[in-house]
Amino acid sequence: MGENDRGPLDGPGESDRPRRRIQPLGREEALRLLGSVALGRLVFTQQALPAIRPVNHVLDGEDIIVRLSDGAAVASLASPTDGPQTVVAYEADVIDPDQHLGWSVVATGYAQLVEDPADIARYERLVRPWVARSMTAVLRIRPELVTGFRLTCVPADVSSALCPD
């Protein structure tokens, strides 16, 4: 194949890079991975447009728990337990920027403010804010849909120096 015979995705050095594949994750594995990290992104609607905020979290069973600062845009969207439910998404990932290997998980479900004082006190101990702001609310996300994928090397590339064992 001559230099001008490359395919549309073959640039200089492309053949030297290991190829990747995407492996879908099941719900259980996706939630396990989500629980293994402390930082994610909360996706919600603000003034009819998508908004994203980085937040730290903890998993309680399958529920994603985050604390909200005073005046947080998402706090006004989350309903009390007896009100209408608000749909949000939560995403977290760990992808190595050099090797391009890792995973990503998205959980979509309903967000509600936690109102039980005992639950609030417990979550305040479990989810420590990363910023110096007053955190007055606790948000529980009950995921209905959990999807994810893992980026891996294709089998022929496993021996490559860029793909770990």
Side-chain angles (χ1 to χ4, degrees):
M1 182 187 276
E3 175 132 12
N4 294 330
D5 296 329
R6 286 192 179 125
L9 300 178
D10 295 331
E14 289 295 317
S15 62
D16 297 337
R17 288 192 199 160
R19 295 178 303 153
R20 304 290 181 263
R21 71 175 171 191
I22 294 177
Q23 294 179 311
L25 297 171
R27 181 184 181 96
E28 187 176 307
E29 176 70 357
L31 286 169
R32 185 190 69 75
L33 290 168
L34 184 62
S36 73
V37 297
L39 182 69
R41 286 159 291 284
L42 180 61
V43 182
F44 58 99
T45 304
Q46 184 177 20
Q47 298 177 352
L49 296 171
I52 302 171
R53 298 288 185 274
V55 295
N56 60 315
H57 70 273
V58 68
L59 242 54
D60 186 14
E62 291 193 352
D63 292 346
I64 302 161
I65 307 298
V66 300
R67 291 181 59 197
L68 304 174
S69 63
D70 292 337
V74 73
S76 65
L77 299 174
S79 57
T81 53
D82 60 348
Q85 296 183 331
T86 301
V87 175
V88 298
Y90 195 81
E91 190 271 344
D93 54 50
V94 174
I95 298 176
D96 184 282
D98 297 320
Q99 295 182 4
H100 308 137
L101 301 173
W103 58 267
S104 180
V105 170
V106 175
T108 305
Y110 298 101
Q112 292 186 314
L113 293 175
V114 175
E115 294 181 324
D116 179 271
D119 285 343
I120 291 171
R122 185 166 73 91
Y123 294 140
E124 285 175 345
R125 288 189 303 274
L126 292 173
V127 184
R128 294 282 185 204
W130 289 13
V131 295
R133 298 178 101 176
S134 174
M135 300 286 182
T136 58
V138 177
L139 186 71
R140 174 183 287 120
I141 302 166
R142 292 235 155 104
E144 293 289 319
L145 177 63
V146 179
T147 60
F149 64 86
R150 188 181 299 276
L151 289 168
T152 62
C153 293
V154 295
D157 294 324
V158 171
S159 64
S160 168
L162 294 177
C163 292
D165 292 328

